[in-house]
Amino acid sequence: MTKEQKSVNWHELAKALKPRTQAFIDGKYVPAASGATFDCVNPANGLVIAQVAYCDAPDVDAAVASARKAFEGGAWSRLAPAARKKVLLRFAELIRKHREELALTETMDMGKPISDSMKIDIPAAANCIAWYAEAIDKVYDEVAPTGHESLALVTRESVGVVGAIVPWNFPLLMASWKLGPALATGNSVVLKPSEKSPLTALRIAELALEAGLPEGVLNVVPGFGYTAGEALAMHMDVDCVAFTGSTRTGKRMLEYAGKSNMKRVWLECGGKAPNVVLGDVADLERAASAAAYGIFFNQGEMCSAASRLVVHESVKDAMLEKIVAIGKTIAPGDPLDPKTRLGAIVDQVQLNTVMGFIESGKEEGAEVRLGGQRALRESGGYFVEPTVFTGVKPAMKIAREEIFGPVLSTITFSDVEEAVKIANDVSYGLTAAVWSRDITTAHRVAKRLRAGTVYVNCYDADDITVPFGGFKQSGNGRDKSLHAMDKYTELKTTWVDLS
Ligand code: NAD
């Protein structure tokens, strides 16, 4: 924490915060057509922060029409990549400039510690936008090797109007993972943030406009999944849906596309990551620390959470002792206190889900080694203790389903074959890790782990340059890296006869 951050009185700033609450359509803030609003609640105290426009089909229609008009008009879609770059770099700079306000908004909206919002979420969102801005005037198209009598160009063109539907766990960052590549490649976007965390998305819309993004290129429609989300995913004039959220909702996106216009559907869904610690792990201290932060960071509300510790029986006790010791130092606390490392769970519904999983673990015979209780009830907020289960069997619910809370399930194995089998035996395949001092063994295991990202002797290492996405029911396509641009472009062949 820098000096500058230490001196900020977040509670004072919170009192003065005036979030944007209306939809952003065609370059203007507007109420929902129905006039309806919904409450946006601070999960740290259960109090309403703001009433936000409750968008539904008519608002989505207006946003899509604006996005289409902007796309066809060409002020953005046909702008030279180098010119788009300048606008997006200004946009990233404005996000950086308003870092404190955006971090405060994010923390109040979804409960994550302010130090994480300041150090991770907001800078990473700005970096993502800037990275795609920098990339866009450096990618080339292709000429196919067809022979002397023809010239065959293989080019990538913007897909058109993109519906981006995003979750609440990293609200601005997940939106940026869509906005960066979608805007850089010349598309218009209608962004539907989660009803649990709509505020930063609404604020950055005007920052994008200020940066020079033409009206209608970025629209934001706050609302619920079954209203605004469904209307967007079913829309006949949306060319592509880029979704991040649960596997259950991701499957619905595929249905919507099938029932409407066969729009492209890109899915980034849930996870149940195995963190495989072999008996020859080189640095137990490091492995334990990575295991603890892999599950407790962001209150465990992470698609990539290291939620299954798959550990060799010879090192299980030593690992657990260290993880529990770390867990004891990460008590849940006021998200606006810069010292807090574990904030509030996003809302009462998610709190109930997490507590339900903890109960099911106990009922199925797993042993609670740490935590297991709701915390800080007097705050009026939704806090859960860091929780560690041991004696978990692969068939138990807490070993198979995504909990999305600070709950670790420890499963032991006796040989590497068994470890690989346990690791792969879930419907998800987003991230995984293997720890071993023998690099050959580590590579062999890494190759066999069915996941989009495998960490070797680390956990949750991250950079915008590497693709992120899942095997199996964790989704399709990839966010981040140059590969993400494939999602927002169509391949076109132009054949010129030279004979
Ligand atoms: P969710 O599926 O409930 O909601 C995600 C978004 O979809 C929200 O904007 C929501 O309003 C909308 N939605 C919900 N139902 C809808 C419907 N019927 N039609 C249209 N839209 C609908 O997920 P969540 O609880 O917001 O987020 C948590 C999930 O996101 C977890 O499963 C997590 O693993 C996943 N996630 C994945 C990644 C990744 O990169 N793979 C990253 C972050 C989160």
Side-chain angles (χ1 to χ4, degrees), residues 75-97:
W76 183 252
S77 55
R78 293 196 289 277
L79 195 64
R84 272 190 236 137
K85 172 173 84 173
K86 282 191 184 150
V87 173
L88 291 177
L89 285 177
R90 277 200 295 271
F91 180 28
E93 228 13 77
L94 285 170
I95 293 175
R96 290 190 185 111
K97 180 174 161 197

Side-chain angles (χ1 to χ4, degrees), residues 166-168 192 195 225 229 244-246 249 256 268-270 303 402 404:
V166 294
W168 47 262
K192 212 282 300 158
E195 60 277 14
T244 300
S246 62
T249 311
Y256 295 143
E268 301 292 338
C269 299
C303 50
E402 188 181 41
F404 230 54

Side-chain angles (χ1 to χ4, degrees), residues 29 61 72 90 172 190 230 234 284 287 291 343 359 363 372 384 413 463 476:
Y29 285 106
D61 283 346
E72 299 302 336
R90 277 200 295 271
L172 188 59
V190 177
E230 183 168 330
M234 282 291 287
L284 209 60
E359 282 317 304
E363 278 162 22
V384 176
F413 66 88
D463 197 73
N476 61 16

